[in-house]
Amino acid sequence: ASRPPPIPRPGPARPARTAPAMHGPPSGHPAPAAEGSERRPGSHKGFVEEMRFVAMRLHTKDQAPREGEMEESSLPISEWRPKQADYLQFLVDSLTVYDFFESAIAASSNPAYAAFRDSGLERTASLHTDIAWFTSRDFIVPEPTPAATRYVTYLEGIVEKNPPAFVCQWYNYYFAHSAGGRMIGRMMSNMLFDGHEFEFYKWEKDVKEILGEVRVKIDAVAAEWDRETKDKCLEETSLSFAYSGTVLANLAKAAEPEAAATA
């Protein structure tokens, strides 16, 4: 497999470019750089809007006609044809990443993370329920793939040393699941499980309401950052897409060719 173009940020075990991130864009592209003292797009609405703007520019034109700037994926989401076991692997990998996010935030003494505890976006309990559903149907639960463990290793390295980068990773991973992730979930449910509703895509209340509350919290945290710190957070966006894309690669599989007809 070919390697991705280098991402202009230090970090261990950078992921291969295998699938679009949950947001949809191809991974491995650097986030648009902010220069000088110019006002950043979206900054008049708060820092979350700045993050959203950078993320949307990493979408493809077909996914975000007005804001997307990336080339179209070689395997559009509409052509994904994973198997049930692939979806289970995706859930296991997702649990590995979400469990680290939630455990790290709960254990950290960094006051910046206090705002993200018990946010209502937590996914680990739901994922445990869904994986147990597979177990009850005699599926063998696999170990996490290297994609998930590499992502966690990267997060371990930044959670205390680089909180702005960690906040960017958290924001993109959780907010993406609440948007494009739900669309992908419906597609997988209808394609593979006769419309079964997985807990992974359910929240205690309207997820839009939860996201609005979390936006306020992120803006409050970012209000304490200077411009350089905010820009470092924004620069993490491309790497968050790249890592989440490797987890989503469990689903980004083309249909297997039909067996050749025998004479």
Side-chain angles (χ1 to χ4, degrees):
S2 59
R3 292 184 177 276
I7 300 171
R9 187 173 187 85
R14 288 173 179 170
R17 182 178 180 180
T18 53
M22 192 79 74
H23 300 74
S27 60
H29 290 274
E35 299 179 358
S37 58
E38 295 180 2
R39 189 172 187 175
R40 307 313 191 262
S43 60
H44 63 291
K45 294 184 178 180
F47 186 64
V48 169
E49 184 63 16
E50 290 187 53
M51 297 173 77
R52 189 202 68 81
F53 184 87
V54 173
M56 291 305 296
R57 290 175 67 180
L58 290 174
H59 286 68
T60 59
K61 283 290 185 183
D62 61 314
Q63 295 159 345
R66 291 186 298 174
E67 298 175 279
E69 296 183 359
M70 297 294 104
E71 63 193 39
E72 187 173 350
S73 172
S74 59
L75 185 66
I77 293 175
S78 61
E79 297 179 16
W80 290 3
R81 296 296 183 270
K83 298 180 182 301
Q84 290 183 340
D86 297 321
Y87 186 76
L88 173 57
Q89 183 69 70
F90 167 68
L91 294 182
V92 170
D93 282 5
S94 297
L95 175 60
T96 302
V97 177
Y98 280 109
D99 183 62
F100 179 78
F101 272 121
E102 291 162 23
S103 297
I105 285 175
S108 177
S109 60
N110 190 319
Y113 297 148
F116 307 116
R117 295 190 188 115
D118 301 320
S119 68
L121 293 178
E122 289 79 16
R123 296 291 84 200
T124 54
S126 297
L127 283 163
H128 278 297
T129 299
D130 288 336
I131 292 170
W133 182 85
F134 278 89
T135 302
S136 71
R137 284 155 179 77
D138 298 324
F139 281 81
I140 297 175
V141 177
E143 293 296 317
T145 66
T149 56
R150 279 195 299 264
Y151 192 8
V152 168
T153 297
Y154 176 74
L155 294 173
E156 288 173 341
I158 66 171
V159 60
E160 297 299 341
K161 294 180 180 179
N162 193 348
F166 188 80
V167 169
C168 179
Q169 294 280 350
W170 186 93
Y171 162 81
N172 280 295
Y173 205 71
Y174 279 82
F175 275 52
H177 176 65
S178 69
R182 287 193 292 168
M183 179 273 291
I184 293 171
R186 287 192 296 270
M187 175 182 168
M188 295 297 108
S189 175
N190 292 330
M191 180 190 302
L192 301 172
F193 303 103
D194 297 323
H196 174 76
E197 294 185 10
F198 288 97
E199 297 299 312
F200 191 26
Y201 307 98
K202 299 178 183 179
W203 288 265
E204 291 294 324
K205 60 181 180 181
D206 187 344
V207 70
K208 292 182 179 179
E209 182 180 346
I210 299 173
L211 294 174
E213 295 168 353
V214 173
R215 286 188 184 98
V216 172
K217 294 177 181 179
I218 295 176
D219 281 341
V221 169
E224 304 296 322
W225 297 345
D226 59 23
R227 187 66 253 175
E228 181 181 2
T229 302
K230 290 179 179 178
D231 288 345
K232 287 181 178 179
C233 179
L234 296 177
E235 290 165 6
E236 186 77 8
T237 305
S238 60
L239 197 53
S240 77
F241 272 50
Y243 273 111
S244 63
T246 63
V247 173
L248 198 60
N250 289 300
L251 305 180
K253 297 182 178 181
E256 294 183 357
E258 295 183 7
T262 57

